[in-house]
């Protein structure tokens, strides 16, 4: 009998969306139950499942856990018996992993911009810190703008980039659409190619 899993993630988590797109694209929807997590709640079991208290976190049937999003996706493609999302070996694998980490880094910086106001609501916010993070977002997007991935291919790079752009559309850390026309075109084409992108969009985002 095939194993089922629990994914700890909220519908709005951009890193969680990466994994949800991969689940959908790999045809694993019927084997995974998504259970919301609250990283701010010290009583949430998320902190036992991932000592870092971050989502997404995948819980296997024997209770062991797998994180972070990149490792979960690699594990799930193994479960699905394919190398469609990430090549298993060769120089192309490391090019893909580097590009995927660049998309993750854009998302990390985007999250830190949001956390600056969420975690310090009453303090004056640091313009220097916010600009430092926005610089990472802009340089990361500029690199993708210069050489966008193939929009007709679902893999770890296109999944990560689409989630980063989706998160920027929702939280508006920068106005990326006016500056990166090739990425605007890329996201439109990717969302037409991969229906899981729209299917995993959280309500009101
Ligand atoms: N590198 C991690 C990043 C995960 C991450 O930053 N998740 C955010 C939500 S999207 C989170 O759980 N933040 C809570 C915290 O940092 O305490 C991954 O790829 O899964």
């Amino acid at each position: 009998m095939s194993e089922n899993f629990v994914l700890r993630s909220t519908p709005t988590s951009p890193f969680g969306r990466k994994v949800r797109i991969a689940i959908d694209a790999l045809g694993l929807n019927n084997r995974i139950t998504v259970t919301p997590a609250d990283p701010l709640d010290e009583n949430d079991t998320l902190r036992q499942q991932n000592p870092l208290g971050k989502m997404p976190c995948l819980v296997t049937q024997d209770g062991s856990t797998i994180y972070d999003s990149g490792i979960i996706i690699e594990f799930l493609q193994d479960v699905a018996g394919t190398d469609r999302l990430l090549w298993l070996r060769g120089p192309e694998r490391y090019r893909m992993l580097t590009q995927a980490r660049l998309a993750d880094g854009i998302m990390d910086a985007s999250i830190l911009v949001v956390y600056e106001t969420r975690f310090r609501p009453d303090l004056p916010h640091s313009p220097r810190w916010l600009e430092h993070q926005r610089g990472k977002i802009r340089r990361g997007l500029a690199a993708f703008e210069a050489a966008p991935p193939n929009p007709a291919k679902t893999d770890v790079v296109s999944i990560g980039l689409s989630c980063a752009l989706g998160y920027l559309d929702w939280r508006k850390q920068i106005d990326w659409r006016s500056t990166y026309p090739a990425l605007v075109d890329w996201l439109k084409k990717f969302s037409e190619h991969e229906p899981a992108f729209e299917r995993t969009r959280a309500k009101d985002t």
Side-chain angles (χ1 to χ4, degrees), residues 23-74:
I23 289 169
D24 192 314
L26 291 168
L28 295 174
N29 276 321
N30 60 353
R31 292 179 58 186
I32 289 146
T33 306
V34 181
T35 306
D38 181 356
L40 294 185
D41 178 0
E42 62 184 34
N43 296 315
D44 192 308
T45 49
L46 180 66
R47 292 184 188 191
Q48 279 105 58
Q49 291 159 340
N50 173 357
L52 301 175
K54 292 190 180 201
M55 58 189 172
C57 178
L58 191 78
V59 185
T60 68
Q61 231 157 262
D62 71 6
S64 61
T65 54
I66 296 172
Y67 47 86
D68 56 13
S69 60
I71 313 291
I72 298 172
I73 291 175
E74 208 169 335

Side-chain angles (χ1 to χ4, degrees), residues 13-16 18 39 52-56 68-70 104 108 111 115:
S13 158
F15 283 103
K18 275 176 61 184
L52 301 175
K54 292 190 180 201
M55 58 189 172
D68 56 13
S69 60
D104 281 359
D108 280 330
I111 285 175
Y115 285 179

